Amino acid sequence: MKSYLKLAIVSVLAASTSAFAPNNHITRSTTALNMSTEVSEVKVGDKIPEIVMMEGQADYEKPVGVNLAELCKGKKVAIFAVPGAFTPGCSKSHLPSFIDAQAELKAKGVDLTICVATNDAYVMEAWGRTSGGVDAGLMFLSDPDAELSRAFGLSIEGGILVRSKRYSLIAEDGVVTHYFSSAEQSSDTWAPNVLAAL
C-alpha cells in the first residue's frame, strides 16, 4: 500500500512540475507577445492610431491619458520614439537632436514634437524635465503597453519590458507624411535628417 501511495505522490508531483516547465515544442500563435511579426511597419499614408498614451505630471501627480490621434488632428506633428528613456544613445544623441532643432522644426511648420518610449509615464516625465526637453517645448508620452509600438510594427519583444524600435515620423492632420527608420543607422532618425526632408 505504501508503494502505491509513494507512486501516486511521485506521479502528481511529476505532472505538476511538467505543467510549469518550459515547453520548447510549442509553436506560438498570434498573441500580444508576438504581434509585431503580424503587423506591417508604419509607412507614409498610414493614419495615426486611436491609442491612449500616458503623460506624466509634475510632482508625481497621476498621469493623464492622451489620445494620440486626437492630439495630432489639425496639426503638423513630429513624433520620435526611442528604445528607452535615460539610455545612452537616446539621451546623448536622439533626444538632444530634437531639442536643438525646435526652432528649425517650427520654421518648417511643425506645431508639436512628441517623444515616445515604453517606459512608464513617471519615468518619461522625469526624463523630459531633467533633459531640458520639456523646457524646449517637447511633449513626452509613455506607451506603457507598447500599443503604439505594436500598431506601427516597431516593437522589440522579449524580456520584461517591450521596447520600441528607434524611429521618427512627421504626421499632418493625423496622416504620416514622412517616415524615418533606424534599420540602416540610428542617425537616420535624428532631427537633422528629418529637417532635410521637410
Side-chain angles (χ1 to χ4, degrees):
M1 181 75 168
K2 280 186 174 180
S3 61
Y4 287 116
L5 183 58
K6 284 181 184 177
L7 181 60
I9 290 171
V10 168
S11 297
V12 168
L13 288 173
S16 64
T17 302
S18 66
F20 296 103
N23 186 345
N24 295 331
H25 299 39
I26 295 175
T27 304
R28 284 187 178 186
S29 60
T30 302
T31 66
L33 292 178
N34 69 355
M35 224 169 112
S36 68
T37 60
E38 303 294 326
V39 177
S40 298
E41 189 169 319
V42 65
K43 63 189 178 310
V44 170
D46 286 350
K47 289 186 177 180
I48 298 297
E50 293 268 349
I51 291 174
V52 175
M53 311 287 282
M54 299 305 292
E55 183 179 23
Q57 304 298 303
D59 299 320
Y60 305 104
E61 293 293 323
K62 184 178 177 183
V64 174
V66 176
N67 183 309
L68 189 61
E70 288 295 318
L71 180 64
C72 293
K73 224 178 245 183
K75 298 181 187 86
K76 185 173 186 176
V77 179
I79 299 173
F80 69 99
V82 297
F86 291 107
T87 57
C90 306
S91 295
K92 291 180 178 180
S93 303
H94 203 176
L95 174 58
S97 78
F98 278 92
I99 292 173
D100 295 341
Q102 282 306 288
E104 292 170 274
L105 286 165
K106 297 268 187 209
K108 298 267 187 174
V110 174
D111 300 301
L112 178 63
T113 301
I114 302 168
C115 177
V116 174
T118 59
N119 298 94
D120 68 54
Y122 296 103
V123 171
M124 291 299 286
E125 186 279 328
W127 193 39
R129 180 173 28 85
T130 60
S131 66
V134 170
D135 291 338
L138 277 70
M139 185 177 206
F140 287 75
L141 295 179
S142 169
D143 183 17
D145 298 318
E147 286 182 83
L148 181 66
S149 303
R150 288 178 173 137
F152 280 166
L154 294 168
S155 62
I156 302 169
E157 304 288 337
I160 295 171
L161 177 67
V162 176
R163 295 190 181 269
S164 174
K165 291 182 182 177
R166 186 182 307 281
Y167 67 87
S168 297
L169 63 81
I170 299 294
E172 292 189 44
D173 196 22
V175 177
V176 177
T177 58
H178 298 78
Y179 170 62
F180 307 89
S181 169
S182 63
E184 289 187 28
Q185 54 189 19
S186 294
S187 61
D188 289 344
T189 66
W190 298 351
N193 195 47
V194 173
L195 282 165
L198 296 179

